[in-house]
Amino acid sequence: MNAITHLNPLGTALVAGGAGFVGSHLCDRLLDRGYSVICVDSFLTGSRENIAPLTNHPRFRLIEHDICAPLDIDERLDLVFNLACAASPPHYQADPIHTMMTSVVGTGHLLTLAARDGARFLQASTSEVYGDPEQHPQREDYVGHVNCTGPRACYDEGKRAAESLCFDTMRAGEVDARVARIFNTYGPRMRPDDGRIISNLVVQALSGKPLTIYGTGEQTRSFCYVSDLIEGLLALMLADKNPGGPVNLGNPGEFTINQLADLVIRQTGSKSRKVHMPLPKDDPQRRRPDITRAKTLLGWEPRVPLAKGLAQTIAHFSLGVAARPERKAPRRRRSATRAEATAR
Ligand code: NAD
Ligand code: UDP
């Protein structure tokens, strides 16, 4: 491995999951700000296309690696961002044991690496730690309503365990860890077959297919444009003072899935109709962040309204991405043993 330390004026940031949707935007932004970037990714759901423009950058380095296996990096790290984890329900449910191991074992490996170098650590946690919330909007002190035996548990409980690991490692004095609870984020570079709502609806509308609405479509989500999220992640990681607890990052604008589908139809000019399909088990009914902590502690709030971010996302998918043949959601794999999952 060729170390790139001599080229980094600000320091070296490791981005696990850096070839994914959010991770690749984060790599771009860190390079723009002058950091050297080491992207660690197994390409489970990420793509080489997302980081293709970076591969010849003198301050960028790619390590293809699954964080379930220990990793050693031959240079000193200043920042460690852990974004590695499939985030779309069909993808994280395809191999649930591996999803859980990624959050627990993988986060443990990255925390060890950060502790080795005294690097700051940021964990990409999720609004899913609140489960199907009984508090609305969700504040960080809400402990959640999660089904630990259902099909979403591999993700929700894995992320909850990862948060525990971060706070326990921090209380042990080993690392300065920060936890971002990210709410539904969208934008360019989502995979057309990602399976999440915005990419599904946009691809369906652009290709004249029916828009799939699960359940009544009256469940709500709050959608954050990716550039806003990236600024929030940076503000959290670079804040002088550790917030001392998790911080919600999301856009408080709340929409039903039916409202979102109507907006997609209007903005694409599509003739597609909505079709209703069964609601997946444990699908949360309402979700909206209370971002008081992010505003107060980080001076951060989102700037891009849904109508604007959606137009930019539609423009991205219109550039031929939607023309690709639609791939089916991944088939649920045979349950792996813990040993197999960690060895992968
Ligand atoms: P994504 O699936 O596009 O990116 C995840 C990346 O992690 C991919 O590049 C994938 O290949 C990589 N990865 C997965 N498992 C890995 C492993 N074991 N080892 C190494 N690499 C691995 O998803 P995203 O939307 O970009 O999400 C990024 C992070 O943010 C995830 O941790 C996700 O849980 C979190 N998050 C995202 C959202 C959102 O709406 N986008 C919301 C809440 C939380
Ligand atoms: N959803 C939908 N049609 C789709 C994909 C998702 O109606 O084609 C619904 C899903 O049931 C959920 C909401 O949209 O209520 C958001 O789903 P997504 O998978 O994007 O994220 P999450 O459920 O993890 O918030």
Side-chain angles (χ1 to χ4, degrees):
M1 286 192 225
N2 53 330
I4 49 177
T5 319
H6 61 290
L7 290 168
N8 58 350
L10 288 176
T12 297
L14 182 145
V15 182
F21 156 52
V22 176
S24 60
H25 286 280
L26 180 62
C27 290
D28 285 352
R29 192 76 180 87
L30 287 164
L31 287 168
D32 284 350
R33 286 188 66 144
Y35 289 92
S36 291
V37 173
I38 301 175
C39 166
V40 175
D41 205 294
S42 65
F43 293 102
L44 179 70
T45 52
S47 83
R48 291 181 196 280
E49 206 180 322
N50 284 346
I51 50 166
L54 307 181
T55 45
N56 290 325
H57 194 293
R59 283 185 278 111
F60 181 81
R61 177 174 153 197
L62 169 67
I63 298 176
E64 190 168 343
H65 181 85
D66 186 321
I67 61 164
C68 292
L71 71 163
D72 190 19
I73 305 287
D74 60 357
E75 63 184 286
R76 190 181 172 283
L77 302 172
D78 300 282
L79 306 175
V80 174
F81 292 87
N82 180 19
L83 278 70
C85 188
S88 158
H91 290 280
Y92 68 65
Q93 289 171 23
D95 190 349
I97 295 176
H98 183 252
T99 299
M100 175 66 86
M101 292 302 164
T102 294
S103 279
V104 180
V105 178
T107 302
H109 289 144
L110 294 173
L111 281 164
T112 302
L113 204 52
R116 178 198 75 177
D117 289 349
R120 263 189 209 172
F121 188 90
L122 185 144
Q123 171 66 12
S125 189
T126 169
S127 53
E128 289 282 325
V129 300
Y130 302 122
D132 191 5
E134 297 147 312
Q135 181 193 87
H136 194 76
Q138 293 80 50
R139 280 195 319 267
E140 291 87 345
D141 58 5
Y142 175 52
V143 294
H145 181 224
V146 179
N147 177 3
C148 68
T149 60
R152 296 175 86 98
C154 59
Y155 184 74
D156 302 8
E157 296 289 4
K159 290 284 188 179
R160 286 167 69 94
E163 286 201 16
S164 301
L165 272 176
C166 289
F167 289 111
D168 283 334
T169 310
M170 189 158 67
R171 279 189 288 265
E174 291 171 26
V175 86
D176 175 349
R178 289 134 195 254
V179 172
R181 290 188 177 157
I182 303 170
F183 284 64
N184 298 63
T185 300
Y186 69 99
R189 298 191 195 157
M190 294 188 89
R191 287 165 52 149
D193 66 340
D194 179 272
R196 281 175 280 184
I197 185 67
I198 291 203
S199 46
N200 268 12
L201 295 183
V202 170
V203 169
Q204 289 160 349
L206 288 174
S207 49
K209 295 195 176 133
L211 271 57
T212 52
I213 308 294
Y214 302 161
T216 61
E218 288 306 298
Q219 68 272 33
T220 67
R221 293 293 186 273
S222 299
F223 300 103
C224 185
Y225 191 63
V226 65
S227 59
D228 280 334
L229 175 66
I230 298 300
E231 292 314 310
L233 292 175
L234 283 175
L236 177 56
M237 179 62 115
L238 300 177
D240 290 339
K241 191 169 171 339
N242 187 306
V247 180
N248 287 340
L249 293 180
N251 191 321
E254 184 182 1
F255 297 84
T256 66
I257 297 308
N258 285 322
Q259 287 171 329
L260 175 68
D262 293 341
L263 188 60
V264 169
I265 290 174
R266 266 204 311 282
Q267 287 203 355
T268 54
S270 174
K271 299 214 163 18
S272 296
R273 303 233 172 262
K274 297 190 274 187
V275 290
H276 288 268
M277 297 174 71
L279 187 71
K281 183 165 166 35
D282 294 337
D283 199 280
Q285 275 307 296
R286 293 197 298 172
R287 188 181 287 155
R288 175 179 167 203
D290 179 321
I291 59 165
T292 308
R293 268 172 67 77
K295 278 187 187 166
T296 315
L297 300 175
L298 311 176
W300 175 87
E301 64 182 310
R303 295 174 188 285
V304 184
L306 179 62
K308 185 172 173 205
L310 191 58
Q312 286 169 202
T313 307
I314 290 169
H316 162 80
F317 278 105
S318 306
L319 289 174
V321 186
R324 287 183 193 157
E326 205 178 309
R327 281 192 274 165
K328 286 200 178 116
R331 285 205 353 248
R332 189 185 167 88
R333 287 182 212 132
R334 176 183 68 89
S335 280
T337 63
R338 184 193 153 104
E340 283 171 333
T342 48
R344 241 177 244 151

